[in-house]
Amino acid sequence: ADLPLPSKIISHGHWTVGNQKMSKSKGNVIQPDQLIDKYGLDSTRYFLLREGGIETDGDYSVIRVMKCLNSDLANEFGNLVSRVTSPKLNPNNEWPVHHQYTE
């Protein structure tokens, strides 16, 4: 292909399990579909984006997933939803209509 060479390359760190490199021979490989089945697609995406990085390796453990989901999603975002839906901010309890878009 007669394409120009890239001017910038962006890579990412690796995922570890308990600070150990994932390895089939060690038997510590985590399958993303198993995470999705257990935690749901959006929660899995959130964890991977939150904990993984470009400059550092991401470390997987069940405890890290639970802390991330409970701390960030349940507590922080739950608190935000609770605050913005409070009667002081919305005394008439009026909400926008949810539209289902189809193509």
Side-chain angles (χ1 to χ4, degrees), residues 15 34-35 37-40 43-44 46-48 50-51 59-76:
W15 278 93
Q34 292 173 348
L35 293 177
D37 290 343
K38 186 170 185 175
Y39 302 110
S43 296
T44 300
Y46 182 80
F47 172 75
L48 294 175
R50 173 87 164 83
E51 295 294 319
D59 188 51
Y60 169 84
S61 74
V62 173
I63 292 171
R64 288 182 78 100
V65 173
M66 296 310 298
K67 282 184 179 180
C68 174
L69 298 181
N70 287 336
S71 173
D72 291 359
L73 295 180
N75 294 341
E76 305 258 340

Side-chain angles (χ1 to χ4, degrees), residues 1-92:
D2 199 18
L3 300 172
L5 294 174
S7 60
K8 185 189 313 185
I9 297 175
I10 299 176
S11 66
H12 59 81
H14 294 278
W15 278 93
T16 58
V17 177
N19 292 318
Q20 299 275 329
K21 181 182 173 188
M22 279 193 203
S23 167
K24 286 188 250 176
S25 60
K26 288 183 182 178
N28 66 350
V29 175
I30 305 299
Q31 299 296 331
D33 56 339
Q34 292 173 348
L35 293 177
I36 292 167
D37 290 343
K38 186 170 185 175
Y39 302 110
L41 180 60
D42 289 337
S43 296
T44 300
R45 282 180 179 161
Y46 182 80
F47 172 75
L48 294 175
L49 289 171
R50 173 87 164 83
E51 295 294 319
I54 292 176
E55 298 174 359
T56 60
D57 291 343
D59 188 51
Y60 169 84
S61 74
V62 173
I63 292 171
R64 288 182 78 100
V65 173
M66 296 310 298
K67 282 184 179 180
C68 174
L69 298 181
N70 287 336
S71 173
D72 291 359
L73 295 180
N75 294 341
E76 305 258 340
F77 295 128
N79 188 23
L80 174 65
V81 169
S82 176
R83 288 175 184 266
V84 299
T85 60
S86 74
K88 287 183 179 181
L89 291 177
N90 188 3
N92 296 329

